[in-house]
Amino acid sequence: MQAEITILIYFIFIVGIGVYSAFRIKTPDDYFVAGKKAGLIPVSGSLLATILGGSAILGTIELSQKLGWPGLWFLFSAALGLFVLIPISKYVRRYGNYTLPELLGTFYGKKAETISSVIIPIAWIGIVAAQIIAAAKILNGLGFISYQNAAIVSGLVFIIYTLLGGQHSILKTDTLQAVLIIGGLVFLFVFASMNPMEHTFETFRISKLFNASFSLIDLFILILTYSVTFVVGPDIYSRVFCAKNEKTASRSILLVALVLIPTSFVLTYLGIYANETDAGIVAFAEHLLPGWAYGLFIAALLSAVMSSADTTLLTSSIIVSELITGNLNKSNSLKLTRYFILITGAVSLLIALFVTSIIQALLLALTFFSGAFVVPTLAGLLKIKVNKKRVATAILIGGTTALAGKIIQTAGSELVGNTIIISSYILNAAILWNYKKPNTNSGKL
């Protein structure tokens, strides 16, 4: 009963923050990027809370239950991506303003901006759906509500909260949510460590990072499809755009990358521990923790889900609004963004009602995104010369090829699927770098 009361209070609090923030919105900048005034703590807290969403927490636990210690690589890959982002984050903030498509438009023109503005929100629907799936599994694990009803309730709370306060409310609550997430995980880890199980626990050794179920090629594919989305990602860039300056953005990224490493160990340990006890993580926590600590842990899981869901939902909607208005400073851009929050949230909720695998929903979306956008975005940020006329073609072919490879891999043909995923990057780069220097001797005798 304590957990149910905690959840009710948490949901009321979140919606209340959204209502409060709605009255604080004075300009489109407040809603879209919190006025570009955020300091180290709010940017770091928001970035950490966004990354440690329900898909990352439950996804890492789900992987570690299946793979063992190789589950560490899920968040290790995220940290690796952030370390790579640090030196180029200054260019992201320098050349961008609100969104990744806008950044691509700066590099390659309107056509690239338009095609990315269409593709990214479609791909990111899967990310929002993954958060709703995670929240539904958490609530369903408590035993008082069905998965379908839990998905509907959590989805509606996400949508309402994001709709009301935008980035202003997200930054307000994300730091608190980050504290709840880390606090809840630490409580569970401490209690698990103090209660050794009857089964033989597989202790960590370096040799355990790979096994028959997870090889070097699997790690390579994880880096290509997951790690790179932290180097080039609309949700990550949205935190960079909120920072008050370039130094704040780069320091926040470094801090979060360092926090992810021990967090990965905690989550993987908990996943292996829960697997040994043959219990889902929610049931496992209920058995292990006292009532007050269990309520805190559930609030932490919901905080994780909420922080990722609101960021991805808002980012996707801003991108579509910018596509239609052409300029987010126009008077109708705020109203359009809120309409698209409703539409995107509703579609994501429908997906969550029929697709119940967190990792499946997450990696399908991220694989398509990474195959499409990583190469052209990095080329633009690093000022590598490419054939600008072929950027849209490279995005479409790269993303489609990567998605096809992921589907084939999921169907069971891992070697074929992985080969196709790798080839998507090669195809993308080959199309972009088919660049011919102008003939300076034309017209001369």
Side-chain angles (χ1 to χ4, degrees):
M1 188 65 181
Q2 285 180 323
E4 287 86 342
I5 293 173
T6 300
I7 291 167
L8 180 61
I9 293 172
Y10 176 77
F11 277 158
I12 292 173
F13 172 75
I14 287 297
V15 173
I17 289 293
V19 173
Y20 170 78
S21 297
F23 290 101
R24 308 284 294 180
I25 303 297
K26 303 299 182 185
T27 66
D29 263 13
D30 290 336
Y31 193 86
F32 298 138
V33 288
K36 289 184 174 289
K37 299 175 182 177
L40 178 67
I41 298 301
V43 174
S44 300
S46 185
L47 181 58
L48 179 61
T50 297
I51 293 171
L52 288 180
S55 55
I57 290 179
L58 296 185
T60 300
I61 291 172
E62 186 178 296
L63 275 179
S64 58
Q65 288 178 314
K66 178 183 177 183
L67 303 176
W69 284 110
L72 283 167
W73 287 113
F74 196 60
L75 284 185
F76 278 5
S77 295
L80 174 62
L82 291 179
F83 283 127
V84 175
L85 175 61
I86 292 170
I88 64 175
S89 62
K90 60 182 178 181
Y91 302 117
V92 174
R93 198 177 184 284
R94 194 174 299 171
Y95 298 131
N97 191 27
Y98 293 116
T99 66
L100 176 58
E102 179 193 42
L103 189 67
L104 290 171
T106 301
F107 296 144
Y108 304 120
K110 193 65 180 178
K111 187 176 181 180
E113 181 177 356
T114 300
I115 194 70
S116 58
S117 294
V118 173
I119 291 174
I120 290 175
I122 294 174
W124 244 235
I125 286 174
I127 311 299
V128 179
Q131 311 311 318
I132 297 176
I133 292 168
K137 286 192 172 186
I138 293 167
L139 295 178
N140 179 240
L142 297 175
F144 71 92
I145 187 171
S146 69
Y147 171 84
Q148 286 74 20
N149 288 335
I152 293 170
V153 170
S154 55
L156 289 176
V157 171
F158 297 160
I159 294 167
I160 293 170
Y161 166 71
T162 309
L163 184 73
L164 292 172
Q167 206 69 261
H168 200 277
S169 60
I170 290 171
L171 282 183
K172 272 187 179 300
T173 56
D174 269 5
T175 301
L176 172 61
Q177 289 173 329
V179 171
L180 275 174
I181 293 165
I182 298 299
L185 291 175
V186 168
F187 268 116
L188 188 56
F189 177 75
V190 169
F191 275 93
S193 301
M194 294 169 59
N195 292 270
M197 65 188 84
E198 297 177 2
H199 305 283
T200 302
F201 187 81
E202 183 187 29
T203 56
F204 173 74
R205 295 192 301 272
I206 295 295
S207 60
K208 297 292 184 181
L209 286 173
F210 298 97
N211 56 30
S213 300
F214 192 88
S215 64
L216 274 172
I217 187 65
D218 292 317
L219 174 60
F220 184 60
I221 295 299
L222 185 65
I223 290 173
L224 281 183
T225 58
Y226 185 62
S227 184
V228 294
T229 62
F230 293 87
V231 184
V232 178
D235 51 343
I236 306 300
Y237 284 9
S238 69
R239 308 300 94 191
V240 175
F241 294 142
C242 289
K244 63 182 179 181
N245 54 47
E246 294 173 5
K247 184 178 291 185
T248 298
S250 61
R251 287 179 175 178
S252 298
I253 295 166
L254 173 61
L255 179 60
V256 172
L258 293 174
V259 171
L260 287 180
I261 295 171
T263 303
S264 183
F265 274 100
V266 170
L267 287 171
T268 305
Y269 176 89
L270 293 174
I272 296 171
Y273 194 114
N275 191 53
E276 290 288 337
T277 60
D278 296 320
I281 192 64
V282 174
F284 160 67
E286 182 180 20
H287 172 75
L288 189 65
L289 299 176
W292 64 270
Y294 178 58
L296 174 64
F297 179 70
I298 295 301
L301 287 182
L302 289 173
S303 294
V305 173
M306 177 68 74
S307 58
S308 287
D310 54 25
T311 298
T312 50
L313 181 56
L314 178 61
T315 301
S316 298
S317 302
I318 290 174
I319 289 172
V320 179
S321 179
E322 185 178 39
L323 172 65
I324 293 175
T325 62
N327 186 342
L328 286 174
N329 290 312
K330 290 184 178 180
S331 58
N332 64 336
S333 63
L334 193 53
K335 184 184 292 185
L336 273 174
T337 300
R338 285 178 162 146
Y339 284 145
F340 286 116
I341 287 172
L342 287 172
I343 295 169
T344 305
V347 174
S348 300
L349 176 54
L350 285 174
I351 293 172
L353 290 172
F354 297 100
V355 178
T356 60
S357 171
I358 299 170
I359 292 296
Q360 182 182 353
L362 180 68
L363 291 183
L364 280 173
L366 292 182
T367 299
F368 178 84
F369 173 83
S370 58
F373 293 104
V374 167
V375 174
T377 304
L378 289 179
L381 289 170
L382 299 176
K383 296 184 177 181
I384 298 172
K385 289 185 178 181
V386 301
N387 190 328
K388 294 184 178 181
K389 294 181 180 180
R390 297 188 176 184
V391 171
T393 302
I395 288 172
L396 287 172
I397 291 178
T400 303
T401 304
L403 180 60
K406 189 63 183 178
I407 292 172
I408 292 170
Q409 181 203 59
T410 304
S413 300
E414 291 194 10
L415 179 60
V416 176
N418 289 338
T419 302
I420 293 174
I421 291 171
I422 294 170
S423 71
S424 69
Y425 290 84
I426 299 172
L427 279 172
N428 199 321
I431 294 169
L432 283 176
W433 291 334
N434 185 7
Y435 176 78
K436 295 181 180 180
K437 292 183 179 180
N439 186 359
T440 56
N441 294 321
S442 63
K444 292 183 179 181
L445 297 176

